[in-house]
Amino acid sequence: MTEEEFDAFYATAFPRLTGQLYAFTGDHGEAQDVVQEAFVRAWGRRRQFLADSAPEAWIRTVAMRLAVSRWRRAKRWLELVRRTPPPDSTPGPDPEHTALVAALRELPEVQRMAIVLHHLCDLSVQQVASETGAPVGTVKARLSRGRAALAKRLAVDEADGPVREESGRVR
């Protein structure tokens, strides 16, 4: 089957197969997903479909097997969740984490991204530069400025409590 023939086959068979799998699964989105996955698998075999007399049957079989496999996986997951009770209580974030997140939100986006990628995701300066598309020197400057801004925002005078800026804002 050529690419053009496969495209035509897809256009005519996809709605029909989706309807059939919808009847099988009871979930239209799931039916679309498994039929699409079956077509993706069929794409690699499209040349062999010429010899096969029923390519639609092959795709339907693959889609039904995928649906059953997903159902089994979901069932196993549900059984696991039922056997493992949730913890009695989930602790909230500690005050330092909350303060850090609040301070990070106040940074310009480029500085915040550099800080998060470098310090929280453990990427090197070169990797941060690669991910952000910025030169290494720019990343270093963003890290330096970001750390300085965070230090000001997170500074606490142990004797007096939070440090007040000249404007009266609490840092």
Side-chain angles (χ1 to χ4, degrees), residues 117-158:
L117 290 174
H118 184 66
H119 292 287
L120 300 179
C121 298
D122 291 326
L123 297 182
S124 69
V125 172
Q126 291 77 14
Q127 290 170 319
V128 173
S130 175
E131 278 205 25
T132 60
V136 171
T138 302
V139 171
K140 289 179 179 179
R142 289 173 181 170
L143 286 169
S144 176
R145 289 184 190 121
R147 285 190 291 253
L150 280 176
K152 286 180 185 176
R153 286 176 173 83
L154 296 174
V156 176
D157 187 344
E158 292 179 8

Side-chain angles (χ1 to χ4, degrees), residues 41-101:
R41 292 180 183 193
W43 176 255
R45 302 176 48 113
R46 68 184 180 280
R47 292 189 191 356
Q48 299 162 346
F49 277 167
L50 187 59
D52 292 345
S53 60
E56 191 169 326
W58 186 90
I59 290 176
R60 182 176 30 260
T61 301
V62 170
M64 290 181 100
R65 288 179 181 163
L66 287 167
V68 168
S69 177
R70 287 181 176 195
W71 179 79
R72 285 181 181 153
R73 234 178 291 130
K75 184 180 171 190
R76 280 194 303 268
W77 180 82
L78 187 58
E79 288 169 356
L80 177 66
V81 168
R82 285 183 180 158
R83 276 190 261 139
T84 309
D88 291 336
S89 66
T90 304
D94 64 347
E96 285 129 8
H97 179 79
T98 305
L100 175 62
V101 170

Side-chain angles (χ1 to χ4, degrees), residues 19-56:
Q20 294 165 359
L21 268 291
Y22 172 58
F24 180 69
T25 63
D27 182 335
H28 192 260
E30 180 72 9
Q32 288 176 322
D33 287 349
V34 295
V35 171
Q36 185 67 39
E37 177 64 26
F39 269 103
V40 168
R41 292 180 183 193
W43 176 255
R45 302 176 48 113
R46 68 184 180 280
R47 292 189 191 356
Q48 299 162 346
F49 277 167
L50 187 59
D52 292 345
S53 60
E56 191 169 326

Side-chain angles (χ1 to χ4, degrees), residues 1-20:
M1 192 179 283
T2 65
E3 289 184 25
E4 294 79 23
E5 291 171 330
F6 189 87
D7 289 345
F9 168 62
Y10 175 85
T12 59
F14 184 81
R16 185 172 43 251
L17 289 166
T18 300
Q20 294 165 359

